[in-house]
Amino acid sequence: MPRPTRSPIGLHRVLAPEGALPQAAHRLDATPSVQEGEVLIRVERLNLDAASYRQLHTAHNGDGDTIRTAVAEIIAERGKMHNPVTGSGGMLIGTVEAVDAASPLGLSAGDRIATLVSLTLTPLRIDDGLARWDGLSEQIPCDGHAVLFSRSIAARLPEDLPDELALAVFDVCGAPALTSRIVNRHRELTGTAPTVAVLGAAGKSGSLSLAASRDGGALTTLAVVRDAGEAALLDKAALADEITVADATDPVAVSDAVHRALGTGADITVVCVDVPGCEHGAILATAPGGTVVFFSMATSFPAAALGAEGLAADVEMIVGNGYTPGHADYALNLLRTDPAIRTMFEARLAAD
Ligand code: NAP
């Protein structure tokens, strides 16, 4: 079947396998010139999603040079940053270089933007070999080009925030918007305010999800964190009503910690951890009839589905769709209105 010459969802950029959408494709055509309906971006910085970066860091024993080589090879081979192990990508920022007249995105040459669609479907070519990156952080300063299709989303970079901070917020902005939607839905359906437990609560998506829960009118917010250091950080930030320490990959420990803190399971559990193996703890920690939001890209569908069945757990499980209308503005507003969130993000960026 010949490739379409123009497709709003980027079918014309798929090189292999034939018939796949760009996200599922193995390889994309990342030629840096605009075709009909497209926008060409001069890339300045990538943000690898946390699960992808952690996997690369672990697989290469934390050796920055090897991690850099691995990422450069993935991009060169696939024409996009699509981690073959985690299946996840990230986001990028850059400057619009060219816009085809048929593009509906409302962007102009010179606009500084963040893409709000995953790197796993964004044609990407790197020109500097990632030479300015030490391989030891999720964010990658670089030079190259990327392409947006007609059916894509992008946000202009805010002028009041540093680029690195805005990029980190945009990367996880789906989490607070979805959490807020689920909290509001619970209130509308039951007439009561829900309890919300957030696993990985001291991380980027975790701290924003805590803030969104409170903003949405949760009865109690419970932060589940890895260790005493993260607990102290969150305590200082005052983002959660309760804080408990548990290894999110230990199902019994997580469930016990949540039941001890809330007196029962959580109405809503949001999984924001960046390691695999958190499905069963989240399910056990959730009250019957409650909802688990799996925002983590390290989530296994079989582990969640079969785990819930095996535990006879009547919980709704939601895949954390990275897109909810208004998600970018909502996340930025949470960050702007609560200085503690900004402090937590800045601390993570500085630690990278
Ligand atoms: P992050 O800032 O690195 O936060 C992850 C948190 O989980 C950290 O505080 C980490 O602690 C903690 N953690 C790790 N292992 C743990 C364990 N065994 N027990 C308890 N806590 C543990 O990550 P993020 O950027 O918020 O991303 C979180 C997840 O969302 C990732 O899987 C990412 O890929 C995913 N994501 C999803 C979407 C989507 O569209 N659904 C978009 C972007 C990202 P330490 O720092 O001490 O390790």
Side-chain angles (χ1 to χ4, degrees):
M1 195 176 62
R3 276 199 281 150
T5 50
R6 181 212 166 199
S7 154
I9 54 175
L11 292 173
H12 55 285
R13 289 272 183 178
V14 173
L15 293 177
E18 213 172 75
L21 295 185
Q23 203 285 326
H26 180 71
R27 204 151 53 88
L28 299 180
D29 170 8
T31 305
S33 59
V34 276
Q35 300 180 29
E36 200 180 332
E38 292 182 343
V39 172
L40 182 68
I41 305 159
R42 179 80 179 260
V43 179
E44 296 164 22
R45 184 173 282 267
L46 309 178
N47 189 128
L48 301 188
D49 85 280
S52 174
Y53 181 73
R54 186 179 282 271
Q55 183 277 325
L56 288 158
H57 192 272
T58 304
H60 299 294
N61 300 316
D63 182 72
D65 289 342
T66 322
I67 295 170
R68 182 176 56 238
T69 303
V71 171
E73 282 176 359
I74 291 171
I75 298 170
E77 188 203 326
R78 306 198 69 169
K80 57 177 178 171
M81 181 49 215
H82 188 167
N83 183 319
V85 179
T86 60
S88 56
M91 301 260 164
L92 63 81
I93 56 176
T95 302
V96 174
E97 199 166 89
V99 181
D100 180 74
S103 169
L105 301 186
L107 297 172
S108 309
D111 287 347
R112 299 201 63 246
I113 61 163
T115 58
L116 296 179
V117 288
S118 173
L119 289 179
T120 62
L121 56 85
T122 305
L124 175 65
R125 179 176 291 183
I126 295 299
D127 300 324
D128 67 352
L130 307 179
R132 283 180 290 138
W133 182 43
D134 63 6
L136 296 176
S137 57
E138 287 172 11
Q139 294 207 3
I140 308 177
C142 62
D143 193 10
H145 287 87
V147 172
L148 286 178
F149 312 128
S150 294
R151 187 165 164 184
S152 292
I153 35 172
R156 284 190 178 76
L157 283 169
E159 286 177 6
D160 61 329
L161 300 175
D163 289 352
E164 292 89 335
L165 181 58
L167 180 58
V169 173
F170 285 140
D171 180 46
V172 296
C173 67
L178 182 58
T179 301
S180 162
R181 178 187 276 185
I182 302 301
V183 168
N184 280 308
R185 189 191 65 172
H186 181 101
R187 289 174 52 233
E188 281 162 23
L189 288 177
T190 67
T192 61
T195 54
V196 182
V198 178
L199 310 190
K204 297 182 290 296
S205 56
S207 52
L208 281 170
S209 296
L210 280 175
S213 303
R214 191 173 271 176
D215 181 57
L219 178 67
T220 309
T221 55
L222 170 64
V224 183
V225 295
R226 188 209 262 290
D227 55 32
E230 288 199 329
L233 204 66
L234 263 180
D235 189 36
K236 197 163 164 212
L239 281 174
D241 300 319
E242 307 273 347
I243 302 170
T244 188
V245 174
D247 177 351
T249 64
D250 180 337
V252 176
V254 171
S255 173
D256 285 354
V258 170
H259 281 82
R260 231 182 356 258
L262 297 177
T264 177
D267 295 316
I268 298 168
T269 304
V270 188
V271 182
C272 293
V273 183
D274 58 344
V275 296
C278 302
E279 300 82 2
H280 297 169
I283 291 165
L284 273 179
T286 306
T291 302
V292 185
V293 179
F294 286 111
F295 188 69
S296 168
M297 284 293 163
T299 303
S300 153
F301 177 81
L306 300 176
E309 179 194 276
L311 294 164
D314 176 21
V315 293
E316 176 192 35
M317 297 189 288
I318 295 182
V319 175
N321 177 353
Y323 174 68
T324 302
H327 60 340
D329 285 342
Y330 182 59
L332 287 176
N333 281 340
L334 289 173
L335 182 104
R336 287 187 181 114
T337 49
D338 192 337
I341 300 175
R342 181 166 177 163
T343 304
M344 294 202 55
F345 266 72
E346 287 173 339
R348 287 198 87 81
L349 287 170
D352 264 357

